[in-house]
Amino acid sequence: DIQMTQSPSSLSASVGDRVTITCRASQTISSYLNWYQQKPGKAPKLLIYVASSLQSGVPSRFSGSGSGTDFTLTISSLQPDDFATYYCQQSYTTPLTFGQGTKVEIK
Amino acid sequence: QITLKESGPTLVKPTQTLTLTCTFSGFSLSTRGVGVGWIRQPPGQALEWLALIYWDDDKRYNSSLKSRLTITKDTSKNQVVLTVTNVDPVDTATYYCARNSRWSGRDYFDYWGQGTLVTVSS
């Protein structure tokens, strides 16, 4: 199975900060990488697909990059609505696997 | 408008079989490239993919649970059913169904149901 490792596991940031979350795959996955946002008690929401494509309706402050084994999700200017947990997920092969999540909290 | 909704029991006894239904609207599971998957999340833990069925009836399972999982679709009813046999308290989780889309050969879950919490306890 492909292991997805996110870092950090949690972070504290202020509104307006630039935030970067990293996801590393245990083997190469090309650009088969998606990012989701989840708020407490809610279903995950797709933010980025195929490593860098912004899902329709998602604010442009979210961006994704990377290929191979190393990927990043960047929030250019953190907004109050962005405090949530973020997950990466690989779709290169089954079993599909998710990272352990990165919780973004208010500083 | 695309919607998915999970339904099924909220409480199941150990060793029983759990049957969950995902009823969706706004898309067809006959469309090439489309699939419906199941993902679960134990309380306070990360997401775990369980199974996925594609428009052409191709089925994929999480190998760690494969012997216990069965996924089927009823295209005419716009439903996908997941059964989990021989449940254990560790199967306690919120179960989500989600639409799988494909772009340039790469899959992603773009629409999710609200989730249903299933507790396994005697």
Side-chain angles (χ1 to χ4, degrees), chain A residues 1 30-32 34 36 38 41-46 49-50 53 55 87 89 91 94-96 98-101, chain B residues 39 41 45-49 52 60-63 96 100 103-115:
Chain A
D1 298 3
S30 183
S31 59
Y32 290 74
N34 308 310
Y36 302 87
Q38 187 179 33
K42 300 294 186 182
K45 171 188 174 183
L46 178 68
Y49 61 98
V50 192
S53 294
Q55 172 68 350
Y87 293 95
Q89 176 242 329
S91 62
T94 55
L96 308 179
F98 291 85
Q100 82 279 15
Chain B
I39 302 99
Q41 186 173 40
Q45 297 185 39
L47 301 163
E48 178 184 32
W49 171 74
L52 176 56
R60 304 296 173 95
Y61 295 99
N62 188 323
S63 50
Y96 297 99
N100 181 87
W103 183 82
S104 193
R106 288 142 169 85
D107 289 354
Y108 50 92
F109 295 113
D110 57 353
Y111 290 90
W112 293 63
Q114 64 189 23

Side-chain angles (χ1 to χ4, degrees), chain A residues 54-87:
Chain A
L54 190 67
Q55 172 68 350
S56 176
V58 174
S60 59
R61 61 181 180 272
F62 291 94
S63 64
S65 64
S67 183
T69 60
D70 295 316
F71 302 86
T72 59
L73 172 70
T74 300
I75 309 172
S76 60
S77 177
L78 197 66
Q79 298 302 301
D81 191 47
D82 302 338
F83 292 96
T85 300
Y86 294 83
Y87 293 95

Side-chain angles (χ1 to χ4, degrees), chain B residues 13-43:
Chain B
K13 289 181 166 49
T15 76
Q16 290 185 337
T17 294
L18 169 64
T19 299
L20 295 168
T21 300
C22 177
T23 303
F24 57 87
S25 63
F27 68 96
S28 172
L29 202 36
S30 299
T31 302
R32 184 178 183 84
V34 173
V36 171
W38 286 92
I39 302 99
R40 72 180 180 182
Q41 186 173 40

Side-chain angles (χ1 to χ4, degrees), chain A residues 21-33:
Chain A
I21 299 169
T22 297
C23 178
R24 175 165 289 176
S26 61
Q27 65 186 73
T28 185
I29 58 171
S30 183
S31 59
Y32 290 74
L33 191 284

